[in-house]
Amino acid sequence: MPTLDRHDDVYVLDLGGTENRFHPDWLATVDALLDEVEKADGPRALVTAATGRFYSNGLDLDWLFAHTDRAAEYVTGVQALLARLLTLPVVTVAALQGHTFAAGAMFSLAHDFRVMRGDRGYWCLPEAEIDIPFTAGMSALIQARLTPQAAHEAMTTARRYGGHDALAAAIVDRTADEDAVRRTAVELAAAHATKAGPTLGTIKTRMYPQVLDALRAQDIPLG
């Protein structure tokens, strides 16, 4: 399960060492750890990171297909987490050391910045290939955080972007070697730790009103 450590002014939320799919217990743990970051005093920033081959593979489809009667509730919870991260009143950086797919890729886009390993690993929105349409909220988030060209290509072709291609498409902000991804993300976050507070949260909220409305919708068509 995810864990939280603090390194000076930077909280590091480790998503785990598996595929880090969004099981309901995983979602609840991340939400509780974000409470801790948000309620802390003083300068602070947040890095999310993981270990192993994956940053996150997104939705827990095994759980979802076994609990189809709770699908709407589940997707509503995922979108609520995306909305919360998008407006968190601290600067956030995703350290993408491994594969970042589907809702995991959307989770990365809800951060302020992304640092990706340059030589291995892919960032991908595979929904067109796996026959699962984006919700309106997910579409809004992707289109708000990527250029129109990158959003269209990523959403309609399921292209797998390596780190350098993702940087060229402005999907990520920096690339780094494997052993430097997390350190680079922490350094980037630390440079903005003094900006934490309600004003930053208000700025983010006012930047993305339509995205937030779509992510926070309660009646979400899933087909």
Side-chain angles (χ1 to χ4, degrees):
M1 295 298 287
T3 58
L4 186 68
D5 293 310
R6 185 164 187 170
H7 303 272
D8 297 321
D9 291 335
V10 178
Y11 284 92
V12 177
L13 198 169
D14 193 311
L15 304 179
T18 63
E19 292 189 17
N20 305 323
R21 289 184 179 269
F22 296 177
H23 186 279
D25 293 341
W26 187 97
L27 292 171
T29 300
V30 170
D31 201 48
L33 295 177
L34 292 181
D35 282 343
E36 186 174 336
V37 175
E38 187 166 354
K39 293 175 182 178
D41 295 322
R44 61 202 185 281
L46 174 69
V47 167
T48 65
T51 54
R53 292 181 57 205
F54 299 92
Y55 173 79
S56 174
N57 252 349
L59 300 185
D60 190 334
L61 297 179
D62 289 340
W63 185 93
L64 184 57
F65 292 149
H67 300 82
T68 54
D69 58 319
R70 296 177 61 186
E73 172 193 348
Y74 174 71
V75 174
T76 297
V78 170
Q79 294 198 166
L81 180 62
L82 296 176
R84 182 176 190 188
L85 188 58
L86 185 66
T87 57
L88 203 70
V90 304
V91 167
T92 57
V93 184
L96 310 180
Q97 93 299 338
H99 297 312
T100 305
F101 273 59
M106 299 173 213
F107 185 79
S108 77
L109 290 179
H111 292 68
D112 298 309
F113 303 101
R114 283 151 297 288
V115 178
M116 185 173 177
R117 180 175 171 179
D119 63 331
R120 294 188 68 181
Y122 293 106
W123 188 99
C124 178
L125 297 171
E127 280 75 5
E129 281 188 344
I130 62 177
D131 202 26
I132 298 178
F134 300 96
T135 67
M138 293 172 178
S139 296
L141 172 64
I142 296 163
Q143 290 175 281
R145 298 295 285 129
L146 298 182
T147 67
Q149 295 85 352
H152 186 90
E153 179 180 55
M155 295 173 76
T156 62
T157 71
R159 176 179 173 181
R160 296 186 177 200
Y161 295 84
H164 298 300
D165 289 338
L167 182 63
I171 295 169
V172 302
D173 301 278
R174 297 186 186 180
T175 58
D177 293 336
E178 177 185 9
D179 61 355
V181 172
R182 188 177 297 212
R183 182 176 71 250
T184 301
V186 169
E187 290 171 354
L188 177 56
H192 299 286
T194 59
K195 300 177 178 68
T199 295
L200 182 59
T202 299
I203 289 171
K204 293 183 183 183
T205 298
R206 291 177 180 173
M207 287 179 70
Y208 300 107
Q210 293 84 6
V211 177
L212 295 170
D213 285 346
L215 286 174
R216 291 168 174 164
Q218 296 300 303
D219 185 14
I220 304 173
L222 300 180

